[in-house]
Coordinates of all heavy atoms in Angstrom, one line a residue:
R689 N -10.4 19.4 23.6 CA -11.2 19.3 24.8 C -12.7 19.9 24.5 O -13.6 19.1 24.8 CB -10.6 20.1 25.8 CG -11.3 20.1 27.2 CD -10.8 21.0 28.3 NE -10.6 22.5 27.9 CZ -9.5 23.0 27.6 NH1 -8.3 22.3 27.7 NH2 -9.5 24.3 27.2
E690 N -12.7 20.9 23.7 CA -14.0 21.4 23.3 C -14.8 20.5 22.5 O -16.0 20.5 22.5 CB -13.8 22.8 22.8 CG -15.2 23.5 22.4 CD -16.0 23.9 23.5 OE1 -15.4 24.0 24.7 OE2 -17.1 24.3 23.4
S691 N -14.1 19.8 21.5 CA -14.8 18.9 20.7 C -15.5 17.7 21.5 O -16.4 17.3 21.1 CB -13.9 18.3 19.6 OG -14.4 17.3 18.7
L692 N -14.7 17.2 22.4 CA -15.2 16.0 23.2 C -16.1 16.4 24.3 O -17.0 15.7 24.6 CB -14.0 15.2 23.7 CG -13.0 14.7 22.6 CD1 -11.8 14.0 23.4 CD2 -13.7 13.6 21.8
L693 N -15.8 17.5 24.8 CA -16.7 18.0 26.1 C -17.1 19.4 25.8 O -16.5 20.3 26.4 CB -15.9 17.9 27.3 CG -15.4 16.4 27.8 CD1 -14.4 16.5 28.9 CD2 -16.7 15.6 28.1
P694 N -18.1 19.5 24.9 CA -18.5 20.9 24.6 C -18.8 21.8 25.8 O -19.7 21.3 26.7 CB -19.7 20.9 23.7 CG -19.5 19.4 23.1 CD -18.9 18.7 24.3
S695 N -18.4 23.0 25.9 CA -18.7 23.9 27.0 C -20.1 24.3 26.9 O -20.6 24.7 28.1 CB -17.9 25.2 27.0 OG -18.1 25.9 25.7
W696 N -20.9 24.1 25.9 CA -22.3 24.5 25.9 C -23.2 23.5 26.4 O -24.4 23.8 26.6 CB -22.7 24.9 24.5 CG -22.2 23.9 23.3 CD1 -21.1 24.0 22.7 CD2 -22.9 22.7 22.9 NE1 -21.1 23.0 21.8 CE2 -22.1 22.1 21.9 CE3 -24.1 22.1 23.4 CZ2 -22.4 20.9 21.3 CZ3 -24.4 20.9 22.6 CH2 -23.7 20.4 21.7
R697 N -22.6 22.3 26.8 CA -23.6 21.3 27.5 C -23.7 21.6 28.9 O -22.8 22.2 29.4 CB -23.0 19.9 27.2 CG -23.1 19.4 25.8 CD -22.5 18.0 25.7 NE -22.9 17.5 24.4 CZ -22.4 16.3 23.9 NH1 -21.7 15.5 24.8 NH2 -22.7 15.9 22.7
D698 N -24.8 21.3 29.5 CA -25.0 21.5 30.9 C -24.2 20.4 31.7 O -23.6 19.5 31.2 CB -26.5 21.5 31.4 CG -27.2 20.1 31.0 OD1 -26.5 19.1 31.1 OD2 -28.3 20.2 30.5
D699 N -24.0 20.7 33.0 CA -23.2 19.9 33.7 C -23.6 18.5 33.7 O -22.8 17.5 33.8 CB -23.1 20.4 35.3 CG -22.5 21.7 35.3 OD1 -21.7 22.1 34.4 OD2 -22.7 22.4 36.3
K700 N -24.9 18.2 33.8 CA -25.5 16.8 33.8 C -25.0 16.0 32.6 O -24.5 14.8 32.6 CB -27.0 16.9 33.9 CG -27.5 15.4 34.0 CD -29.1 15.4 34.2 CE -29.6 14.0 34.3 NZ -31.1 14.2 34.4
K701 N -25.1 16.7 31.4 CA -24.8 16.0 30.2 C -23.1 15.7 30.1 O -22.6 14.8 29.6 CB -25.1 16.8 28.9 CG -26.6 16.9 28.7 CD -27.0 17.6 27.4 CE -28.5 17.4 27.2 NZ -28.8 18.2 25.9

Side-chain angles (χ1 to χ4, degrees):
R689 182 179 62 248
E690 181 66 15
S691 176
L692 298 175
L693 297 172
S695 57
W696 45 266
R697 287 185 177 174
D698 57 39
D699 292 338
K700 182 177 180 180
K701 288 184 177 179

